[in-house]
Amino acid sequence: TVFKGKQRVHPSITSERVCDAIEDSYNGLSNPGFCLSCGADHDECEPDAEDYQCYECDQHAVMGAENVLVWFM
């Protein structure tokens, strides 16, 4: 398990999943992000997004995919 401060990264968020999301965003108009708490996918996240609210688990744990890659992978 990887931590950022006190935040633990959900085990479903793998480097392959993050890189695939970033690559897909280069070929389209999506801005992918991930909830570090529950692992849910999010769209419309700036690449450097941090602590956005997750609509699945209601935690403020959503990060932009590029930010996840920089911090955790």
Side-chain angles (χ1 to χ4, degrees), residues 2-5 7-9 13 36 63 67-73:
V2 179
F3 291 88
K4 176 188 177 258
Q7 180 65 53
R8 190 175 88 184
V9 179
I13 301 174
L36 303 182
M63 285 184 103
N67 218 11
V68 172
L69 186 66
V70 168
W71 276 97
F72 301 107
M73 306 296 153

Side-chain angles (χ1 to χ4, degrees), residues 34-56:
F34 300 97
C35 177
L36 303 182
S37 183
C38 72
D41 292 329
H42 283 265
D43 199 14
E44 301 304 319
C45 291
E46 289 86 10
D48 62 346
E50 286 189 45
D51 301 324
Y52 282 23
Q53 186 172 4
C54 177
Y55 299 115
E56 298 291 325

